[in-house]
Amino acid sequence: MTSIHDNLQTIGVNIQKTTQQYHHPPGSVKLLAVSKRHSVNKIREAYEAGQRSFGENYVQELLEKKEQLSDLDIKWHFIGPLQSNKTKKIAEAVDWVHTIDRFKIAKRLNDQRPENLPKLSACIQVNISGEESKSGILIEELPILAKKINELPRLKLQGLMVIPAPEKNIDKQRIVFAKVANIKKDLYQQGIELNTLSMGMSDDMEAAIAEGSTIVRIGTAIFGTREN
Ligand SMILES: *Cc1c(COP(=O)(O)O)cnc(C)c1O
């Protein structure tokens, strides 16, 4: 079994190579280490190898890990489904939320973001596959949501996030990511400038980078198979 340190190194090289191969600016793709259902010891190991940004999917798990790792200078990203009764804890605990899919959640995060913290970075989760997926906002409804979130003073709307349906073929993976990249361009035409595309996981990272991802969210390729 390879170590977390080695995995991070390999992924870093892959990101760099792929970014170059598809003519994106060097350094334009950041690695988010997805640590859900992995131990705090593994997070420490990744931290010691230089990783600083970690993603978690479950509110309680994130809070417990943050507490246990309070001696480390970690940027926490929330990437799981968010119910309105959990927004306060998330507004107080994280630097980024990737999964905003309705205004009610954004408004609550805005109102609950503590004054002593910087603005909360936010991505809108896009539902690219329509009916099949329950999470994310439909493309037709996206511009209005983006405009409304842009007006919230305690949030910083950074970009779009997508979780495509699993697909093995890289060309088909690219079609989906290209759609999201195009939506970002359309929003720019409407006066909404975004700098982030949160897309790409262990099995579709290359396709996501090809289409302009700026944050890849990688779990398995760093930490191995999840523990439970
Ligand atoms: C679990 C998860 C990931 C990481 O997936 P891997 O296949 O383990 O790399 C990325 N994004 C989200 C939203 C996840 O839930």
Side-chain angles (χ1 to χ4, degrees), residues 3-176:
S3 71
I4 288 171
H5 176 278
D6 292 350
N7 293 343
L8 280 169
Q9 193 135 27
T10 305
I11 294 162
V13 170
N14 276 347
I15 290 174
Q16 217 177 345
K17 275 192 193 153
T18 313
T19 307
Q20 193 174 25
Q21 184 186 342
Y22 292 98
H23 312 291
H24 296 297
S28 58
V29 183
K30 302 271 184 322
L31 173 60
L32 179 65
V34 177
S35 46
K36 62 164 180 251
R37 286 156 51 204
H38 290 292
S39 68
V40 287
N41 287 340
K42 284 189 171 181
I43 298 176
R44 277 191 191 277
E45 219 175 306
Y47 187 90
E48 276 157 27
Q51 181 65 29
R52 290 293 176 271
S53 296
F54 292 86
E56 288 282 342
N57 293 57
Y58 309 101
V59 178
Q60 199 51 40
E61 183 178 343
L62 183 145
L63 296 175
E64 282 166 21
K65 285 174 168 171
K66 185 179 156 105
E67 173 77 31
Q68 290 173 51
L69 297 167
S70 59
D71 55 315
L72 306 183
D73 181 24
I74 287 178
K75 297 271 182 237
W76 291 102
H77 292 230
F78 187 73
I79 62 170
L82 186 52
Q83 271 86 46
S84 46
N85 62 344
K86 303 276 175 66
T87 51
K88 183 159 188 288
K89 288 188 163 131
I90 289 300
E92 292 168 354
V94 307
D95 299 281
W96 281 69
V97 175
H98 289 234
T99 44
I100 295 177
D101 61 358
R102 54 195 190 274
F103 186 67
K104 182 184 175 191
I105 296 287
K107 178 76 171 79
R108 288 178 66 91
L109 289 169
N110 177 76
D111 296 349
Q112 294 164 337
R113 181 67 167 173
E115 281 302 323
N116 62 320
L117 295 180
K119 290 183 183 195
L120 178 61
S121 286
C123 291
I124 298 175
Q125 184 175 354
V126 183
N127 178 350
I128 207 75
S129 42
E131 313 283 282
E132 299 156 45
S133 164
K134 280 173 243 74
S135 42
I137 188 161
L138 295 173
I139 296 161
E140 309 86 81
E141 299 165 7
L142 178 61
I144 290 172
L145 179 64
K147 278 175 195 150
K148 285 170 78 178
I149 293 179
N150 240 348
E151 285 162 12
L152 296 173
R154 300 294 295 141
L155 295 194
K156 168 138 185 53
L157 182 61
Q158 300 275 14
L160 305 176
M161 180 269 206
V162 69
I163 310 174
E167 168 60 59
K168 290 251 177 290
N169 180 281
I170 184 167
D171 296 318
K172 289 184 182 159
Q173 291 172 352
R174 284 187 65 171
I175 292 171
V176 175

